[in-house]
Amino acid sequence: MTSTRRLAPLLAPSLLAADFANLQFEIERLAGSAADWLHCDIMDGRFVPNISFGVPVLQAIGRHAKQPLDVHLMIEEPQNYLSAVRDAGATNITVHYEACPHLHRVIQQIKALGCRAGVALNPHTPVWLLEDIAADLDLVCVMSVNPGFGGQAFIPNTLRKVAALKELLVDSGSSALIEIDGGVSLDNAAALVEAGADVLVAGNFVFGSPDPVATLADLRAHLSESELLEDESEESLNA
């Protein structure tokens, strides 16, 4: 009996780790790479203790990007900026559960703008809090580091959290993608996909390397090899 192969995970390099002085170059060299989305972190210095960039820079990114823009709003009152973010070129808009007391309303606003609607969960936020809204979501971003700064170490408990989230989504009949943001590398990518991750965000791992395009290719090859080995193992067990 042959096992069913999972869809290959999407790779979303995080521009927060790119060279901001050469942002056009960084974006253009990813055009033909293994990157499926470009992840854009917008921070306000209130929800997280850092400021990254805002809508004008996002507009500039959108003018040069070939991949869809996956915009992660690490900000207070994100509902006030949804239209501007969409107009700047966002395909996906993700807001934080912790920043939205009226989360259902915000999700519906994002959908009405024609964007994929996502919710991000901080490391301390349990997945069961999404139970009543899971069916409305297109994306759930699991923070595998504390939001606000790049280069942090991956939180191991994320693997258990992803598995629990996958179970919740299946039980809810939700087709939402599970995205992992923070500390993703060759050391944990395959395990995250095995736990249920659909999208891997990688910042320093990609842009801190000598050749980001080659690093993304290596990550893609590593995941493909892991899936192949898993399929061969399952086929041998089911023969």
Side-chain angles (χ1 to χ4, degrees):
M1 181 177 178
T2 302
S3 64
T4 301
R5 180 184 290 274
R6 293 188 303 270
L7 294 176
L10 302 176
L11 303 183
S14 174
L15 296 180
L16 182 66
D19 181 358
F20 280 14
N22 295 287
L23 202 50
Q24 180 178 344
F25 168 75
E26 296 276 39
I27 294 165
E28 289 178 344
R29 71 171 168 172
L30 292 177
S33 73
D36 298 290
W37 297 346
L38 299 182
H39 189 79
C40 304
D41 289 308
I42 294 181
M43 306 177 184
D44 62 359
R46 295 173 59 207
F47 180 70
V48 293
N50 200 5
I51 297 173
S52 57
F53 54 81
V55 171
V57 174
L58 186 63
Q59 289 173 329
I61 292 170
R63 287 197 292 269
H64 301 288
K66 299 302 182 185
Q67 292 94 337
L69 299 186
D70 179 40
V71 179
H72 180 185
L73 298 180
M74 301 185 190
I75 64 176
E76 298 283 354
E77 301 178 342
Q79 66 274 9
N80 296 334
Y81 303 92
L82 300 177
S83 293
V85 169
R86 188 277 310 273
D87 292 344
T91 298
N92 311 330
I93 301 178
T94 295
V95 298
H96 268 263
Y97 174 90
E98 301 83 4
C100 297
H102 304 289
L103 182 59
H104 182 270
R105 181 187 301 165
V106 176
I107 293 302
Q108 298 310 312
Q109 289 174 326
I110 296 172
K111 286 177 171 288
L113 291 170
C115 296
R116 289 193 188 96
V119 171
L121 299 177
N122 281 343
H124 73 282
T125 303
V127 300
W128 61 262
L129 290 170
L130 297 180
E131 182 177 357
D132 290 332
I133 199 172
D136 296 305
L137 301 176
D138 300 308
L139 178 72
V140 179
C141 179
V142 177
M143 295 302 300
S144 43
V145 298
N146 285 291
F149 297 94
Q152 299 180 66
F154 177 82
I155 298 173
N157 185 57
T158 302
L159 290 169
R160 181 204 61 78
K161 192 170 184 177
V162 171
L165 175 59
K166 184 67 175 180
E167 183 177 355
L168 183 151
L169 293 176
V170 170
D171 290 346
S172 302
S174 174
S175 59
L177 300 175
I178 298 177
E179 180 177 70
I180 311 302
D181 186 357
V184 172
S185 69
L186 290 175
D187 295 334
N188 53 36
L192 285 166
V193 173
E194 172 62 22
D198 303 295
V199 186
L200 301 179
V201 176
N204 279 18
F205 172 69
V206 172
F207 290 105
S209 69
D211 186 342
V213 172
T215 298
L216 283 166
D218 289 344
L219 180 56
R220 174 69 71 206
H222 172 72
L223 291 170
S224 297
E225 180 181 359
S226 298
E227 289 173 359
L228 178 61
L229 290 173
E230 177 187 333
D231 281 358
E232 289 176 344
S233 175
E234 290 181 0
E235 287 173 5
S236 66
L237 288 173
N238 293 323

